[in-house]
Amino acid sequence: MKSTTVNVQNIYSFNVQNIKGKIVELSAYKNKVVLIVNTASECGFTPQYKELEQLYNNYKEKGFEILAFPSNDFGKQEPLAGKNLQNFCELHFRISFPLFEKVIVTGHRAIPLFQFLSTKSLNGKVNMSPKWNFQKYLINRKGEVVDYFFPFTRPTSASISKAIERLI
């Protein structure tokens, strides 16, 4: 019987655009534990921005990053973009973690990063597309997807903290 190996890649091969329009190579996050989250400003889960900031502050000195990707995919709950979105996040939640341009995170039009995050044949581990705003994907120091958390899982939950601590 012939075995086939999946060519598992990592997030480091992707480039994305930050909220200010600058291209960011995700290889800049090598050797960091990363939580990637699709966000929205008019969602019932929007208060999670505050908890994401708490989580970020708890672990950033240990090599942890949060990358927020606003999306209008669910209920059209992200009407803002660019400077307006950045101002909203800074003013209401004082976020200091990186915020990226609004993107598509589901379906065949999803950006390549989210196709990778949600497709096991691409990432080798997880087969779960975002189900709503504030779905979270945990990435290890090698840039590999290791877990995901549904939108209702609060960023300050024990399950997320324990998973981060195992990787840090």
Side-chain angles (χ1 to χ4, degrees), residues 53-122:
E53 183 63 20
Q54 290 172 344
L55 185 68
Y56 182 58
N57 287 325
N58 288 345
Y59 294 108
K60 68 182 177 183
E61 297 300 321
K62 296 178 181 176
F64 175 70
E65 289 287 341
I66 293 176
L67 309 180
F69 289 85
S71 175
N72 202 33
D73 289 11
F74 303 104
K76 304 225 179 286
Q77 295 179 341
E78 187 49 87
L80 302 175
K83 189 73 172 158
N84 291 333
L85 182 55
Q86 182 181 7
N87 289 343
F88 171 84
C89 290
E90 290 173 358
L91 178 68
H92 294 282
F93 300 102
R94 302 194 191 290
I95 69 163
S96 59
F97 51 84
L99 183 63
F100 293 84
E101 273 295 331
K102 185 162 53 174
V103 296
I104 296 172
V105 300
T106 61
H108 68 279
R109 293 182 42 227
I111 65 167
L113 173 63
F114 272 85
Q115 289 176 13
F116 170 77
L117 293 172
S118 61
T119 309
K120 186 175 182 177
S121 64
L122 299 176

Side-chain angles (χ1 to χ4, degrees), residues 6 23 37 44 73 76 90 94 116 127-128 131 137 149:
V6 176
I23 299 297
V37 186
D73 289 11
K76 304 225 179 286
E90 290 173 358
R94 302 194 191 290
F116 170 77
N127 203 39
M128 180 59 63
K131 298 302 176 204
Y137 294 91
F149 302 92

